[in-house]
Amino acid sequence: MKVAVLGATGQTGQYLVNQALQQGHTVTAIVRNPGKLTVHHDNLKVVEADIFSAESLKTHFKGQDVIMSCLGFPASIFSAVTGYTLSMKVMISAMREAQVNRIITMTSWYTEPNSGTQSPYLIRFLLLPLIRSVLTNMHQMEQFLQDTEDINWTVVRPPGLKNLPASAQEFLTHEGYFVPDNSGYPVGSTVGRGDVARFMLSLLNNNAWVKKGVAIITK
């Protein structure tokens, strides 16, 4: 397939680009700083664009089968995070102009404000408050997508990310804000970035999670 990747120089994005190329896809990596992407491949095109400009993106979206976003924006204690919603609104606008209607993006477990009440003590009282500004904006982006009827979107929600390549482990999935075990409590709390990329790419041949958010973890 023809795949456009945003956030391609990020840690998860690099796994995604590499795996997509290994699987035989043609990849357009849309980046701010081309020098940061060290991958070279005949099926890879690296282009510079402004993720906050639909005009800038639509040229690179034309002819693509799917847009995949691994964009991330840092937490802020003093001000609201807005990058997720602003960039997604621009992407959707550019997709409409370029006539592309499939997007796969990633957020996180616990984006919904009340979903972390059963999480372990340290996560609930230490980690989640630290990244709440990010989770809030991710949730706003998810809500924006839920109201977007003409686009086939999927939101992939991983837990804590580890810088590990893809494994061969099976995925546990749940249409919700975390993956529960049998008692309803969250199962393990980290996943390799390579596995997140592997799951996102598995959606290219699979309509199971279209217009849905899916929490994931490996077994």
Side-chain angles (χ1 to χ4, degrees), residues 3-206:
V3 181
V5 180
L6 293 104
T9 56
Q11 291 174 299
T12 308
Q14 291 190 47
Y15 281 113
L16 187 73
V17 168
N18 276 307
Q19 289 180 36
L21 292 167
Q22 284 163 16
Q23 290 175 21
H25 301 299
T26 302
V27 179
T28 301
I30 300 173
V31 297
R32 273 177 307 196
N33 182 352
K36 275 190 169 177
L37 199 64
T38 52
V39 193
H40 299 282
H41 195 284
D42 289 348
N43 288 341
L44 173 66
K45 185 167 137 193
V46 183
V47 297
E48 205 172 331
D50 177 2
I51 55 168
F52 298 114
S53 159
E55 197 62 30
S56 176
L57 290 179
K58 73 175 186 189
T59 326
H60 307 301
F61 281 9
K62 278 191 180 125
Q64 303 290 345
D65 295 309
V66 61
I67 311 300
M68 302 186 87
S69 174
C70 298
L71 289 171
F73 300 91
S76 169
I77 295 163
F78 303 107
S79 60
V81 174
T82 56
Y84 292 96
T85 40
L86 291 177
S87 61
M88 184 54 71
K89 285 173 182 174
V90 165
M91 281 187 262
I92 296 296
S93 172
M95 285 171 69
R96 285 177 177 136
E97 289 193 52
Q99 297 183 317
V100 181
N101 80 336
R102 181 80 174 107
I103 184 163
I104 299 163
T105 189
M106 60 181 278
T107 58
S108 170
W109 282 21
Y110 306 128
T111 50
E112 198 278 322
N114 299 315
S115 59
T117 52
Q118 290 177 312
S119 61
Y121 187 88
L122 283 177
I123 289 178
R124 186 178 174 188
F125 293 106
L126 194 65
L127 178 66
L128 294 184
L130 279 177
I131 59 168
R132 181 47 63 194
S133 59
V134 164
L135 295 175
T136 296
N137 194 226
M138 284 177 166
H139 189 52
Q140 289 163 341
M141 179 183 86
E142 291 172 344
Q143 288 177 305
F144 166 72
L145 285 172
Q146 279 165 8
D147 295 334
T148 307
E149 291 177 10
D150 58 325
I151 299 290
N152 290 328
W153 56 270
T154 301
V155 171
V156 176
R157 300 184 181 117
L161 297 169
K162 287 192 290 194
N163 225 358
L164 293 172
S167 70
Q169 288 175 289
E170 266 184 81
F171 287 103
L172 294 172
T173 57
H174 182 67
E175 191 180 344
Y177 296 96
F178 60 88
V179 179
D181 66 14
N182 294 335
S183 63
Y185 282 89
V187 295
S189 57
T190 58
V191 68
R193 292 177 187 276
D195 280 327
V196 178
R198 176 168 68 99
F199 185 82
M200 289 174 78
L201 286 165
S202 76
L203 298 173
L204 295 182
N205 312 312
N206 178 349

